[in-house]
Amino acid sequence: METIQSNGYNIYFEDSLTQLVKFIEQGKYSRSFVLTDENTSVHCLPLLQQYLGEDGNYDLIEINAGEESKNIDFCVGVWKMLIDFGADRKALMINLGGGVITDLGGFVASTYKRGIDFVQIPTTLLSQVDASVGGKTGVDLDSIKNIIGTFTQPKAVFMAAEFFKTLPDRQILSGLAEMLKHGLICDAAYWDKLKTSDLSLPSLELVHRSVEIKNEVVTEDPHEHGIRKALNFGHTIGHAVETYSMLHDSDPLTHGEAIAVGMVCEAWLSNKKAGLSDAELAEIVEVFGKLYPKHKIADDSYPALFTLMQKDKKNQGNKINCTLLTRIGQFSIDNICTEDELCDSLRYYTTL
Amino acid sequence: METIQSNGYNIYFEDSLTQLVKFIEQGKYSRSFVLTDENTSVHCLPLLQQYLGEDGNYDLIEINAGEESKNIDFCVGVWKMLIDFGADRKALMINLGGGVITDLGGFVASTYKRGIDFVQIPTTLLSQVDASVGGKTGVDLDSIKNIIGTFTQPKAVFMAAEFFKTLPDRQILSGLAEMLKHGLICDAAYWDKLKTSDLSLPSLELVHRSVEIKNEVVTEDPHEHGIRKALNFGHTIGHAVETYSMLHDSDPLTHGEAIAVGMVCEAWLSNKKAGLSDAELAEIVEVFGKLYPKHKIADDSYPALFTLMQKDKKNQGNKINCTLLTRIGQFSIDNICTEDELCDSLRYYTTL
């Protein structure tokens, strides 16, 4: 599979960890720092060590796993460890993990001494097809996702299917939602291919096409002024559902599960407001219905969900801006939706 | 006085607050947020209000005055206020204050929702000639100055002499040290002019020349890879002296007072290592001796001072990199100094 060229950096698919070793040698870094969480330390670090060696070629910084770690307190912890290790401006940070590690690690690196180099090794399907491409870094504050962050490109991204072979099914489904989104917004043929593939463990070829699509969008619009908003399809409602679930459910939705809910709701809005046909809506509902368990959205949660949508950083003032589909494979940005319309779409989802 | 064009933004000197009003109108911002500290709220905000109006044209965010506020906890406080006020991506942050406000406010703005626009209204002489130009934002962590931050340019800078007319003498002297540095590193004629001027209240013309010099350096090298290091003259030792004083003295040195100590020490190093003549060293010592009170540096503080120099973000590994003078008006970067040399320069200062 071809290396994908993004905004000034490469995304490697073939022999990617060999490429990482080359990259480090050529970069003449003063020191490497590998950021992991307690899961990737166990499941992913051993593979990395086969390439980097174990004998003091790098320092390890480990944080707790999970979205709860994605906050400023953990950034302070990592910054302090970098200080204690004596990391200078020529240090390299290697983020080995899912989206929490790549987002937080990217933010820490982009602000430590006003910015040191970092590379991403995304270890979940979701982070491979989403968080690792596009140069967004960030952490949560007050339960608002990614509200603090920077636009900073990594120096390289290294993809390896080995990492997600042992992922739990729900984690696979989480990444798959973003892949389905890429088909829906930009590539009907890819959507058709996904529909007919064995999706219990997506191939690296499918990942490659998703990364290509996302990369095309973000390199054209790195700071999200225009077409990058395409990627928000399903996310206006999905992010709110995700945050609400994190605050209220004992076993919260994954990102992709929440986005899947959001995509069904926003497909309904697309049908009402943007020209998506009844047949296409039915097809989308069917595909998601087969893959994802039904999520219960209580009527009395609508006001809280709407408040969360208002706080989403992509919205200006009180207007809720949605990216919708005009048909499968084609998006339309900046569709202003009212509170009533958004609540109706949630109601539609609950009737399915 | 001419407007100075920096890296994609203007630095206004004439009718600058009228220019600010125009800037805000043209920017079509959703909302303005003025960041002040308890001092600038009293001494500087009233003037700003004459231009912006008082009747709800902006929201005010005030933090405690002083370097102790320049940390992540205060950033979190300001980020949360922005969230509570509903600040979106088209919000504008107006930083009204000294270096703490412009550095912290710039960092908060550059990371809120991955970056909103901000402008600087530096209200101290020091921040006018130093912090407001160059696109550095940052806060301290673990007593290490500016260790966390970004390179982000403001959208404009507005200079007004009115603000520093009421500054205490020590604050004037603090800014003056940076102005003298600009002469020493780049412009012997400006150094001569400063020597013979009434420096109890430097004119806005002198400020203008300092900003010109700093601007020339930083626009050529925005990310501090090369000649921007010129601005570090006096700062390797000065920053360590400043931090040590902050930690140990009941009435700590100002930034400029510490940098003045650093410049005398580094002028001595320049004489030993970089070709500065004995006569020039004597002249520099005389000028600083007349303006700045002698600071006591205890012998037993040398190891701690050296450790602080090692932690400075500009140093790589264990090497201490100094910017020195080859003569008055000309600098030389990347002079590696040993611990012995640095301690000898401190000893020299104490013998004066």
Side-chain angles (χ1 to χ4, degrees), chain A residues 218-268:
Chain A
V218 300
T219 49
E220 195 167 322
D221 178 21
H223 290 89
E224 202 160 33
H225 297 306
I227 77 146
R228 184 169 184 156
K229 291 180 186 169
L231 300 168
N232 295 346
F233 176 65
H235 281 58
T236 303
I237 293 175
H239 263 163
V241 168
E242 182 181 9
T243 303
Y244 189 87
S245 173
M246 194 167 73
L247 294 172
H248 294 88
D249 297 343
S250 57
D251 184 20
L253 293 179
T254 64
H255 176 70
E257 286 167 345
I259 297 313
V261 175
M263 283 193 277
V264 172
C265 296
E266 295 180 27
W268 181 85

Side-chain angles (χ1 to χ4, degrees), chain A residues 283-302:
Chain A
E283 178 182 326
I284 292 168
V285 167
E286 191 197 345
V287 169
F288 283 103
K290 275 190 192 159
L291 287 166
Y292 294 88
K294 186 70 180 290
H295 177 62
K296 194 168 157 37
I297 303 176
D299 284 3
D300 60 5
S301 67
Y302 290 9

Side-chain angles (χ1 to χ4, degrees), chain A residues 30 72-73 75-76 79-80 83-84 86 88-90 103 107 110-115 135-138 141-142 144 146-151 223-224 310-317, chain B residues 30 72-73 75-76 79-80 83-84 86 88-90 103 107 110-115 135-138 141-142 144 146-151 223-224 310-317:
Chain A
S30 58
I72 287 289
D73 290 340
C75 293
V76 169
W79 283 323
K80 286 188 177 182
I83 293 171
D84 289 345
D88 62 31
R89 284 184 167 174
K90 280 295 288 173
D103 286 6
F107 178 65
S110 74
T111 52
Y112 179 71
K113 298 195 178 190
R114 297 202 184 92
K136 285 185 175 181
T137 79
L141 182 65
D142 275 355
I144 307 178
N146 301 322
I147 187 88
I148 307 303
T150 60
F151 284 107
H223 290 89
E224 202 160 33
Q310 286 181 304
K311 283 193 179 170
D312 188 288
K313 64 191 164 311
K314 281 145 198 142
N315 288 316
Q316 293 178 11
Chain B
S30 58
I72 287 289
D73 289 341
C75 293
V76 169
W79 283 323
K80 286 188 177 181
I83 293 171
D84 290 344
D88 63 30
R89 283 186 169 173
K90 280 295 289 175
D103 285 5
F107 178 65
S110 74
T111 52
Y112 179 71
K113 299 195 177 190
R114 298 203 183 91
K136 285 185 176 181
T137 78
L141 182 65
D142 274 357
I144 307 179
N146 300 323
I147 186 88
I148 308 303
T150 60
F151 284 106
H223 290 90
E224 203 161 30
Q310 285 181 306
K311 284 194 179 169
D312 188 288
K313 66 189 161 313
K314 280 144 198 144
N315 288 315
Q316 293 178 8

Side-chain angles (χ1 to χ4, degrees), chain A residues 152-314:
Chain A
T152 312
Q153 308 294 338
K155 291 296 166 187
V157 179
F158 304 91
M159 301 288 195
E162 287 91 331
F163 291 126
F164 62 79
K165 277 184 183 149
T166 56
L167 279 181
D169 289 348
R170 284 186 69 189
Q171 288 298 322
I172 296 288
L173 277 175
S174 185
L176 189 58
E178 292 288 344
M179 297 169 75
L180 292 163
K181 183 192 76 178
H182 294 142
L184 287 174
I185 57 174
C186 286
D187 186 344
Y190 180 55
W191 164 260
D192 288 337
K193 190 167 182 185
L194 285 170
K195 271 193 314 183
T196 54
S197 298
D198 170 16
L199 296 177
S200 60
L201 189 67
S203 66
L204 200 59
E205 281 75 18
L206 289 173
V207 170
H208 188 271
R209 178 62 193 139
S210 258
V211 171
E212 263 183 347
I213 293 173
K214 176 155 189 191
N215 187 52
E216 280 164 23
V217 172
V218 300
T219 49
E220 195 167 322
D221 178 21
H223 290 89
E224 202 160 33
H225 297 306
I227 77 146
R228 184 169 184 156
K229 291 180 186 169
L231 300 168
N232 295 346
F233 176 65
H235 281 58
T236 303
I237 293 175
H239 263 163
V241 168
E242 182 181 9
T243 303
Y244 189 87
S245 173
M246 194 167 73
L247 294 172
H248 294 88
D249 297 343
S250 57
D251 184 20
L253 293 179
T254 64
H255 176 70
E257 286 167 345
I259 297 313
V261 175
M263 283 193 277
V264 172
C265 296
E266 295 180 27
W268 181 85
L269 287 167
S270 301
N271 176 247
K272 292 293 159 227
K273 293 172 67 86
L276 188 76
S277 73
D278 293 350
E280 288 173 310
L281 173 60
E283 178 182 326
I284 292 168
V285 167
E286 191 197 345
V287 169
F288 283 103
K290 275 190 192 159
L291 287 166
Y292 294 88
K294 186 70 180 290
H295 177 62
K296 194 168 157 37
I297 303 176
D299 284 3
D300 60 5
S301 67
Y302 290 9
L305 287 169
F306 183 71
T307 302
L308 287 167
M309 292 175 214
Q310 286 181 304
K311 283 193 179 170
D312 188 288
K313 64 191 164 311
K314 281 145 198 142

